[in-house]
Amino acid sequence: MAANTNRPTLIALTALAPISWGSTYAVTTEFLPADRPLFTGVTRALPAGLLLLASARVLPRGAWWGKAAVLGALNIGAFFPLLFLSAYRLPGGMAAVVGSVGPLFVAGLAAPLLGDRPTSRTLLTGIAAALGVSLVVLKAAGALDAVGVLAALGATASMSTGTVLTKRWGRPDGVGPLALTAWQLTAGGLLIVPVALLVEGAPPALDGRAVGGYLYLALANTAVAYWLWFRGIGRLGATQVTFLGPLSPLTAAVIGWAALGQTLTPVQVAGMVLAFGATVFGQLGPRGGRPTPTGGTRRKTAPVEYPSPLQGHALTL
């Protein structure tokens, strides 16, 4: 009974991650210096990673040095720069539209990496979520930039691959999600540092608003949010967690309407309803699934942590 009670709470806590990420655009435009995407990526990732590393007091061992580096590169080191590059070069919310196909990327990767074939339910739900996000954020004006589109696709593919590998590899015995998050943020942040220095030069001068914005991004938006995200992947499933992703652009749209004076048309409201409905539907499904590995290899038998009627098909990942 406790497991059934905890599962909706786990989904709600995991959903706080994309909701927090939805505030990134407003914080970046209103508080941070312009045209510093790589510096912003470093400032988001590295301080948060070092803080969590100091809290966890656990370093990778053996093969996990390499695995942590790969996950850090995919989920942070490549994802952050590509995401900011696409946002700078694409009109309106096109980057968010491309990112909203993440569940479809994950479903496609789940077959070769996790042995789970995507169902028609998964594909239809992913298409509905992408369509809903498109109605919310896509602008008709502006020509598409090929580099921006490729960057957005690269960011989505990078994060999707990292999400699936996070589920495939699990965690080393005795290591919790806090340490795993710390390893990835630190590795990813260190990867961005030399690129940021080479491309953008020395860090810019910061005023009080910028310092406050970076503190928010590093602590709530990154340290806490990514810990909740990776914790959710471990206990739910890669595809199921990714279906929470559309909450990010939806949150950005709501913040733009409530705090930045932007308007919402009836078409956008309809898109929000569709995307949110797909997000909720992505959490529902048949019972059963494969247990999450906690070490470097899969366990043949282990109890499913959260057996509940709310289990999605993605728990088989």
Side-chain angles (χ1 to χ4, degrees):
M1 182 65 68
N4 291 343
T5 302
N6 287 340
R7 188 171 185 80
T9 302
L10 176 62
I11 294 173
L13 288 174
T14 307
L16 291 177
I19 290 173
S20 171
W21 297 334
S23 68
T24 303
Y25 174 78
V27 172
T28 301
T29 56
E30 299 298 315
F31 292 90
L32 305 185
D35 301 324
R36 289 297 185 123
L38 293 172
F39 175 76
T40 298
V42 171
T43 309
R44 282 188 67 186
L46 193 54
L50 293 175
L51 176 64
L52 294 184
L53 194 61
S55 300
R57 298 182 181 180
V58 177
L59 292 175
R61 297 186 300 273
W64 268 96
W65 282 102
K67 291 181 179 180
V70 170
L71 294 178
L74 291 170
N75 289 322
I76 307 296
F79 175 70
F80 278 6
L82 289 172
L83 180 67
F84 282 117
L85 177 61
S86 67
Y88 273 94
R89 299 186 67 109
L90 291 180
M94 177 58 76
V97 173
V98 177
S100 68
V101 302
L104 300 179
F105 272 76
V106 170
L109 291 168
L113 294 179
L114 299 174
D116 185 75
R117 294 182 180 179
T119 64
S120 57
R121 180 179 181 276
T122 302
L123 298 177
L124 290 175
T125 305
I127 292 171
L131 176 60
V133 172
S134 301
L135 295 176
V136 174
V137 301
L138 187 58
K139 305 293 184 181
L144 294 183
D145 179 87
V147 174
V149 171
L150 289 175
L153 287 172
T156 303
S158 179
M159 185 67 166
S160 299
T161 305
T163 298
V164 174
L165 287 179
T166 299
K167 184 66 181 179
R168 176 181 175 85
W169 289 337
R171 300 190 305 270
D173 292 329
V175 173
L178 185 68
L180 184 63
T181 305
W183 298 348
Q184 296 184 57
L185 287 172
T186 303
L190 290 174
L191 182 65
I192 304 173
V193 167
V195 181
L197 291 175
L198 180 64
V199 175
E200 297 179 350
L206 303 178
D207 57 17
R209 288 174 59 84
V211 170
Y214 280 124
L215 284 175
Y216 167 77
L217 289 181
L219 298 177
N221 189 269
T222 303
V224 175
Y226 271 90
W227 171 67
L228 290 172
W229 185 253
F230 293 130
R231 177 174 176 265
I233 292 172
R235 298 188 179 187
L236 294 170
T239 307
Q240 190 174 5
V241 169
T242 306
F243 270 120
L244 297 173
L247 292 175
S248 180
L250 296 184
T251 301
V254 171
I255 291 176
W257 167 75
L260 303 181
Q262 300 172 358
T263 60
L264 287 176
T265 67
V267 172
Q268 287 177 304
V269 174
M272 293 177 70
V273 173
L274 178 60
F276 185 75
T279 298
V280 173
F281 189 70
Q283 309 307 312
L284 307 176
R287 198 168 184 162
R290 179 184 302 167
T292 300
T294 56
T297 58
R298 296 190 183 278
R299 305 287 178 82
K300 292 184 178 180
T301 58
V304 177
E305 292 184 72
Y306 293 91
S308 161
L310 289 179
Q311 279 186 315
H313 64 277
L315 195 60
T316 62
L317 301 182

